Amino acid sequence: MREFKDTYRHKGLRMQLVKLLQQKGITDENVLDAIKNIPRHFFLDSAFDKIAYEDRAFPIGEDQTISQPYTVAYQTQLLQIKRSDKVLEIGTGSVYQASVLAEMGARVFTIERQKKLFELNKNFILKSKYPNIKFFYGDGFEGLPTFAPFDKIIITAAAPFIPPKLIQQLKDGGLMVIPVDEGNNQRMLRITKMADGSLQEEAFDLFSFVPMLTGRNG
Ligand code: SAH
């Protein structure tokens, strides 16, 4: 059985990571605090223990990745998370992004299409710490109509287009942060659903995500 320890060395490395994220332009103190508090090395194979706090993505099995901390911080900052926001996440992966949202006090509904990753997440190490994360196995293009509407929606895979069903499941005044394909990369977009149902779109930087795929796998 693997022993999970969060040592002073790990905490020190997290402080350095937070400084780096600040230098890269992350200013939301709540986002920075969440990253400071969450032991990212718990989300990775023990082989990555020494490098878990480098600002890079890592493989987590099933050809998937845990997003780069900068990307997690960037998307979370754009979401303007408030305590008790109801948030839908597409692409649970390692549960790191969901944990950042949960640490900030959001109620998180997260969907994963890979059965194996979904099953692994049943034993998610910080499950009792974050009862505010609810796990679903399904196709993110469909969203979670029974739990809609959501204050915020975050997509953590490369979307070929803005999924119309997810727009339907967004509250009036709600925000969606989504990386949409542009050439070989994705443009980070923030969509605001206005009170009259119209959409306002803001464009940010380019990123590189694994693809958002249709249907369930497993
Ligand atoms: N948020 C994750 C990043 C995961 S990478 C983290 O913090 O670690 C993207 C994830 O999206 C992968 O696990 C992939 O299987 C999942 N995914 C891709 N298309 C999907 C879809 N249509 N519905 C749900 N999950 C999807």
Side-chain angles (χ1 to χ4, degrees):
M1 242 311 252
R2 175 170 170 201
E3 228 187 313
F4 288 94
K5 280 195 191 145
D6 191 24
T7 64
Y8 282 109
R9 188 183 65 83
H10 291 119
K11 291 186 175 112
L13 291 171
R14 282 210 290 286
M15 294 298 290
Q16 285 177 24
L17 173 60
V18 165
K19 275 201 195 124
L20 179 68
L21 296 176
Q22 282 177 309
Q23 284 162 14
K24 287 186 168 182
I26 304 299
T27 52
D28 184 328
E29 291 291 338
N30 296 326
V31 173
L32 295 167
D33 276 349
I35 288 175
K36 193 174 79 192
N37 292 338
I38 300 174
R40 186 174 190 248
H41 61 288
F42 285 10
F43 296 77
L44 296 165
D45 191 90
S46 56
F48 295 104
D49 191 81
K50 294 209 163 42
I51 49 175
Y53 295 100
E54 290 180 8
D55 189 23
R56 45 179 280 208
F58 291 109
I60 54 168
E62 307 307 312
D63 284 335
Q64 299 305 328
T65 52
I66 178 173
S67 300
Q68 186 181 345
Y70 175 64
T71 307
V72 172
Y74 193 99
Q75 286 197 280
T76 312
Q77 174 161 289
L78 285 178
L79 276 179
Q80 300 174 346
I81 294 295
K82 291 191 219 58
R83 294 198 82 78
S84 75
D85 264 353
K86 196 171 149 192
V87 183
L88 174 65
E89 181 197 24
I90 311 303
T92 315
S94 70
V95 204
Y96 181 71
Q97 170 72 69
S99 300
V100 169
L101 296 165
E103 176 72 22
M104 293 172 76
R107 291 173 290 151
V108 185
F109 297 74
T110 183
I111 312 181
E112 175 56 56
R113 70 178 286 279
Q114 297 237 26
K115 188 77 186 266
K116 275 199 187 152
L117 287 179
F118 172 75
E119 297 289 343
L120 272 176
N121 289 336
K122 283 186 179 158
N123 303 316
F124 164 53
I125 170 83
L126 298 176
K127 202 159 190 171
S128 56
K129 183 167 187 215
Y130 299 124
N132 47 338
I133 304 178
K134 305 279 180 253
F135 294 86
F136 298 85
Y137 169 52
D139 178 0
F141 281 99
E142 301 296 320
L144 288 174
T146 41
F147 294 90
F150 298 94
D151 297 297
K152 313 276 163 76
I153 300 182
I154 174 171
I155 287 84
T156 68
F161 53 84
I162 297 166
K165 287 183 184 166
L166 297 186
I167 293 290
Q168 279 169 18
Q169 293 172 32
L170 195 57
K171 261 185 203 168
D172 288 345
L175 299 178
M176 175 189 290
V177 171
I178 179 169
V180 178
D181 284 335
E182 186 177 304
N184 292 328
N185 295 297
Q186 296 84 45
R187 178 71 62 190
M188 194 67 75
L189 301 180
R190 179 165 62 189
I191 314 290
T192 308
K193 190 168 176 179
M194 309 304 276
D196 63 3
S198 66
L199 304 177
Q200 188 194 307
E201 188 177 303
E202 298 163 274
F204 298 90
D205 295 326
L206 285 171
F207 288 85
S208 177
F209 284 82
V210 297
M212 181 174 180
L213 302 170
T214 36
R216 295 191 298 189
N217 179 6

